[in-house]
Each structure stands twice: as C-alpha cells, then as structure tokens.
Amino acid sequence: MSQENNGAPAAFEIDLTLEEARRRAAVMAAVGPDWDPPAVLRAEELAYDLLYSGLDERQQETYDMLVAAGVLPRRGPGHAAA
C-alpha cells in the first residue's frame, strides 16, 4: 500500500455538534427540572451581602482597596455593608 506524502498537511476534521448536544442534555438532566437560575443568583447575592457585612474599619479599608484595584466588584452604593 503506497501513501503519497508531498509535505502538505492532511485535512483532519471532527464535527463535535452531536457531542455538544449530548453534553448540554447531560447538564440539564443533572440540574433537574426544579433549577431556578434567578433564585440561584439571588441566593448568591445574599451570600455575598452576608460575607461583606459587619466589616470592622480595617476590613472595610481592605475591601475598598480591593474594589479600587478591580479585584472585587463594588457592591451597593459605596460600601460592602450597604
């Protein structure tokens, strides 16, 4: 059996459309029919509010420094506990 190699790369294509559809179906099956994205986002916001509430003066300064540096997003109208 002879294979010709003229130095040109061979075209190699894989269509992953079916695998992507399977992956998405598996994700949706895993989260279940009761999944409520807005409720999840609200719960996450409440968790962040709780995490950054009740900061003492030094913690608030550190928080403000991290916000100013772009490490953390600004929450509320100026302060973490707001």
Side-chain angles (χ1 to χ4, degrees):
M1 208 188 222
S2 169
Q3 292 183 349
E4 202 173 306
N5 184 0
N6 61 3
F12 183 75
E13 295 179 13
I14 298 176
D15 184 3
L16 297 175
T17 306
L18 181 60
E19 288 305 314
E20 179 63 13
R22 284 184 188 152
R23 185 194 66 81
R24 288 181 183 191
V27 167
M28 294 310 294
V31 297
D34 298 330
W35 184 52
D36 184 5
V40 170
L41 291 175
R42 283 191 301 273
E44 186 174 310
E45 289 296 318
L46 289 173
Y48 277 114
D49 290 343
L50 182 60
L51 177 65
Y52 295 120
S53 67
L55 301 179
D56 64 25
E57 185 177 328
R58 183 179 162 114
Q59 291 169 329
Q60 187 66 49
E61 288 173 8
T62 302
Y63 172 82
D64 292 338
M65 180 183 65
L66 292 171
V67 169
V71 175
L72 293 173
R74 172 134 332 259
R75 301 188 56 78
H79 285 66

